[in-house]
Amino acid sequence: MTSALSALPHRHVLTLPTGPGAVRLARETAERALAEWGIGERHPAVGPALLILSELVANSVRHAAEVSPRTTVVYAASPDCLVFAVHDRHPHRPRLSGPDGAGPGGLATVVELTHGLGGTAVVRGDADGRGKSVWITLPL
């Protein structure tokens, strides 16, 4: 994914405390970045993308804050796709599909919205096994 990410002309990285205000800050940063990159708020993918991002950051705050004091959000885009990832240092890697994955709640919403837009959702573990990133790719 790193080589594919580096091929995208627009990139931004935000590292923030895993706590109150994280969702708002991540969302506001996304809104500013998308506007700077010429992806208007009226684009049909923007509203769902912001909701997906909010759910992922909220999950980090809710489930990882105790062991991961910081969360990193990667934003990237090209004329035909939007990519973002939410990373924390909690070792649990949630399943996004299958009979045990994405049950009721935030991750189910993330998966439903992502697939509904024709996108992909992938969980990637850190090499040391102590963290993970949830990567979302949406077509524009």
Side-chain angles (χ1 to χ4, degrees):
M1 180 50 118
T2 304
S3 62
L5 185 62
S6 65
L8 298 176
H10 305 292
R11 291 178 297 285
H12 182 76
V13 177
L14 171 69
T15 300
L16 63 160
T18 307
V23 173
R24 179 185 47 79
L25 183 56
R27 189 177 173 113
E28 288 173 353
T29 301
E31 290 169 342
R32 281 193 304 276
L34 293 173
E36 288 174 16
W37 300 338
I39 304 168
E41 63 184 40
R42 294 187 188 272
H43 189 287
V46 169
L50 292 173
L51 178 57
I52 291 166
L53 176 66
S54 297
E55 289 289 343
L56 292 176
V57 174
N59 276 349
S60 285
V61 170
R62 188 176 308 114
H63 302 293
E66 189 172 311
V67 296
S68 182
R70 307 202 69 66
T71 296
T72 300
V73 183
V74 176
Y75 311 87
S78 71
D80 60 349
C81 79
L82 172 63
V83 176
F84 54 89
V86 176
H87 175 267
D88 63 54
R89 292 292 289 164
H90 192 286
H92 176 69
R93 291 175 58 182
R95 290 178 47 114
L96 299 179
S97 62
D100 302 331
L107 283 180
T109 300
V110 165
V111 171
E112 183 178 333
L113 287 171
T114 300
H115 291 166
L117 291 167
T120 60
V122 177
V123 177
R124 290 191 173 90
D126 291 354
D128 66 4
R130 294 185 176 164
K132 83 303 202 156
S133 298
V134 179
W135 287 87
I136 303 294
T137 303
L138 301 173
L140 292 174

